Amino acid sequence: MSALQLDRIPHHVAVIMDGNGRWAEARGMSRSEGHRAGVDAVRKVVRAADALGIEWLTLYAFSSENWNRPKDEVATLMQLPEEYFEEELPEAIERGTRILSIGNHDRLPPGTRRTLEKAIERTQDGPKMRLVFALSYGGRGEIVEAARRLLRDHEQGRIDPESLDEKTFAAYLDEPDMPDVDLLIRTGGESRISNFLLWKAAYAEILISDRLWPDFERKDLEQAICDYQKRERRYGLTSAQVRSGSK
Ligand code: IPE
Ligand code: IPE
Ligand code: MG
């Protein structure tokens, strides 16, 4: 691995944590055990991201489509955030991490929702890394929800359709302060976005890792960032324009 440039760490890293089921199946374990192993990987990667100075880390923990999985698997997946926050909250507070969440919380079981809300509240003054859990999240759903809020504001005369632009619209998304994604990592080898951050990942650099999520660790995150640092982000410009620094 070439050296990581600590002054060029991506501001916002988002991760599609995929491969828990395959990891478990390969070991003759249940899918739920795979998800438990996935939580250990979350712990490690969160610590590593904090140590690297990543400002925003968004983790895709459960998609709107994942509600269609078998009941017992969904039940485990809803139980895990409770266990995770129970154990990790004191350390998050100490580290100054601010926990946030995007997604449709109305669908979460009351216990899961309460723990999540407590974690968000107890860390709200955290000045360091923003750790966002996408839980019961879908990118299309988020955009529709934003449109609904916007229409309500329009009804109340608070928004003029002529003044609507991308920035105004983005303020209606689940977490308005969240910056665009710089680096989007998907573990488990599949090359798809699976309804994650459709708006904020518009110009993300995408990195697919074959590693299954429970096996993903600090060195894999560092490798992903190294690869990111070798990319040229062109935003529609030519390479020559980018190199000459024109906007
Ligand atoms: C990702 O692992 C976790 C969630 C989707 C909740 P999977 O459970 O999708 O694992 P695979 O893709 O079946 O291996
Ligand atoms: C995406 O993984 C969702 C999460 C990692 C939470 P999936 O396993 O649900 O995605 P697909 O079904 O393979 O696209
Ligand atoms: Mg999967």
Side-chain angles (χ1 to χ4, degrees):
M1 182 166 71
S2 50
L4 194 69
Q5 300 171 52
L6 287 171
D7 56 340
R8 287 189 55 226
I9 298 290
H11 296 293
H12 185 184
V13 176
V15 188
I16 302 178
M17 308 184 289
D18 195 26
N20 296 348
R22 277 164 284 165
W23 183 92
E25 278 154 28
R27 287 164 178 74
M29 294 156 90
S30 69
R31 294 182 60 84
S32 291
E33 286 173 286
H35 296 312
R36 286 190 184 282
V39 176
D40 290 333
V42 171
R43 291 194 179 95
K44 284 186 208 158
V45 169
V46 165
R47 284 191 194 114
D50 185 58
L52 287 166
I54 290 170
E55 289 165 19
W56 285 76
L57 177 68
T58 302
L59 301 176
Y60 203 7
F62 190 91
S63 74
S64 338
E65 290 73 26
N66 290 149
W67 286 113
N68 300 321
R69 291 197 176 189
K71 255 189 164 160
D72 60 334
E73 185 173 343
V74 170
T76 304
L77 285 164
M78 286 298 127
Q79 179 63 36
L80 291 177
E82 293 199 45
E83 292 174 20
Y84 175 80
F85 289 124
E86 203 61 53
E87 275 184 38
E88 295 296 306
L89 194 53
E91 196 184 308
I93 293 169
E94 200 181 320
R95 261 199 323 254
T97 301
R98 179 161 181 197
I99 294 167
L100 297 163
S101 181
I102 53 174
N104 181 358
H105 294 176
D106 293 345
R107 289 189 77 179
L108 299 176
T112 313
R113 201 160 95 193
R114 268 197 304 274
T115 340
L116 186 62
E117 282 165 1
K118 181 174 139 198
I120 292 170
E121 201 192 300
R122 299 272 312 276
T123 61
Q124 65 184 347
D125 298 323
K128 304 281 279 296
M129 185 171 78
R130 269 67 183 132
L131 173 59
V132 188
F133 288 91
L135 204 54
S136 185
Y137 174 86
R140 285 184 176 172
E142 181 188 24
I143 293 170
V144 170
E145 208 37 62
R148 203 191 318 278
R149 291 180 198 126
L150 181 87
L151 287 170
R152 285 202 195 108
D153 270 5
H154 178 246
E155 257 170 32
Q156 315 232 326
R158 284 203 285 251
I159 181 130
D160 164 22
E162 300 311 316
S163 72
L164 184 67
D165 56 16
E166 291 178 10
K167 197 165 166 243
T168 327
F169 186 86
Y172 286 89
L173 293 168
D174 281 1
E175 184 44 67
D177 293 336
M178 180 195 276
D180 281 350
V181 178
D182 297 303
L183 171 62
L184 174 62
I185 300 171
R186 179 169 185 142
T187 62
E190 314 280 4
S191 306
R192 54 176 171 259
I193 201 149
S194 299
N195 205 12
F196 190 38
L197 296 175
L198 296 182
W199 182 282
K200 295 279 165 81
Y203 257 105
E205 292 298 326
I206 300 177
L207 191 129
I208 309 295
S209 164
D210 284 332
R211 192 92 64 207
L212 301 172
W213 175 250
D215 291 330
F216 196 81
E217 47 185 62
R218 185 188 177 117
K219 69 171 179 4
D220 301 303
L221 179 66
E222 290 179 353
Q223 181 64 60
I225 295 174
C226 266
D227 289 358
Y228 165 87
Q229 290 177 340
K230 292 191 196 106
R231 309 261 184 107
E232 180 179 69
R233 301 185 77 185
R234 289 198 285 273
Y235 296 100
L237 303 184
T238 66
S239 211
Q241 284 177 301
V242 174
R243 290 195 194 136
S244 70
S246 60
K247 286 250 162 85

